[in-house]
């Protein structure tokens, strides 16, 4: 082999070696870039996973809050039911006492009417007024037909006709000078002739 061929073979080997070195270097760079891209992709996935975890934790916290709110609402509903039941019991108690109070009030009104009737029976002035009314005294007539003598309008006791009011001059003064002493009234009635 001649030297020129050897030189050409040497140059070819050097060129091939340079190409192989360039290919290896290019392959390593591509591999490094690929590894770097994979690493960047992995970091993106990790960041995405962290965001997903935060979102999941937030949803769990919201679910826990919703459960707590539901439990609170249920407890409030139970308390409202208990208050309503208590109010119902109190209403039943109150309605039971209404009848008692009404019958007591009726009994007391009847007692009052009986006492007033007895007082009118004892009072000679009332007997005189009744006699006047029977004789057609227009001052005591029921002109409007409401069942109450017109001179007694506004009286709250049904069927009761009170004795006429007396002036302080009609009732003798008591020994101590106070008008309206029951003993003095009784003594004055005894001195008058019955009607």
């Amino acid at each position: 082999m001649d030297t020129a061929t050897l030189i050409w073979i040497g140059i070819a080997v050097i060129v091939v070696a340079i190409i192989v070195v360039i290919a290896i270097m290019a392959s390593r760079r591509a591999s490094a870039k690929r590894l770097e891209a994979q690493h960047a992709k992995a970091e993106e996935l990790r960041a995405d996973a962290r965001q997903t975890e935060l979102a999941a934790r937030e949803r769990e916290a919201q679910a826990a809050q919703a459960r707590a709110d539901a439990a609170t609402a249920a407890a409030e509903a139970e308390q409202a039911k208990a208050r309503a039941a208590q109010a119902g019991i109190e209403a039943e108690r109150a309605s039971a006492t209404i009848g008692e109070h009404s019958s007591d009030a009726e009994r007391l009104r009847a007692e009052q009417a009986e006492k007033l009737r007895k007082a009118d029976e004892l009072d000679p002035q009332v007997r005189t007024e009744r006699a006047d009314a029977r004789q057609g005294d227009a001052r005591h007539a029921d002109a409007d037909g409401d069942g109450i003598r017109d001179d007694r309008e506004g009286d709250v006791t049904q069927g009761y006709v009170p004795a006429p009011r007396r002036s302080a001059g009609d009732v003798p003064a008591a020994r101590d000078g106070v008008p309206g002493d029951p003993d003095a009234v009784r003594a004055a009635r005894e001195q008058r002739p019955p009607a």
Side-chain angles (χ1 to χ4, degrees):
M1 279 211 196
D2 75 24
T3 18
T5 309
L6 282 175
I7 291 178
W8 280 110
I9 291 177
I11 291 177
V13 170
I14 292 174
V15 169
V16 169
I18 291 174
I19 291 174
V20 168
V21 169
I22 291 175
I24 290 173
M25 288 176 63
S27 173
R28 282 191 179 167
R29 278 192 188 163
S31 179
K33 283 187 179 181
R34 190 170 25 91
L35 289 174
E36 192 175 311
Q38 287 176 342
H39 179 70
K41 183 69 174 171
E43 285 300 317
E44 281 181 24
L45 289 173
R46 286 187 187 99
D48 217 14
R50 281 192 295 271
Q51 291 298 323
T52 304
E53 179 194 7
L54 288 174
R57 285 170 54 192
E58 185 178 350
R59 294 294 188 277
E60 288 170 351
Q62 289 172 348
Q65 182 65 44
R67 279 193 297 275
D69 290 346
T72 301
E76 288 174 357
E78 287 299 317
Q79 287 177 349
K81 284 180 188 177
R83 283 192 298 270
Q86 184 65 33
I89 290 169
E90 289 172 10
E92 287 178 22
R93 283 185 189 146
S95 66
T97 60
I98 288 172
E100 294 172 17
H101 292 313
S102 295
S103 63
D104 286 347
E106 289 175 13
R107 181 183 53 78
L108 291 172
R109 289 248 183 238
E111 277 182 34
Q112 176 195 21
E114 180 62 22
K115 287 177 183 177
L116 293 174
R117 187 189 60 75
K118 286 181 181 179
D120 286 349
E121 285 178 4
L122 292 174
D123 192 348
Q125 188 70 30
V126 172
R127 285 194 295 261
T128 303
E129 285 184 3
R130 286 186 184 152
D132 289 346
R134 281 193 295 272
Q135 293 172 4
D137 187 356
R139 291 178 301 135
H140 304 296
D142 181 13
D144 55 6
D146 63 356
I148 301 173
R149 290 179 12 193
D150 292 335
D151 63 332
R152 301 290 184 232
E153 290 287 334
D155 187 1
V156 296
T157 309
Q158 294 179 353
Y160 167 67
V161 180
R165 303 233 190 281
R166 298 179 188 199
S167 66
D170 290 346
V171 178
R175 291 183 199 96
D176 60 357
V178 176
D181 181 3
D183 294 331
V185 172
R186 196 175 307 112
R189 283 186 186 157
E190 290 172 1
Q191 292 175 358
R192 288 187 196 158

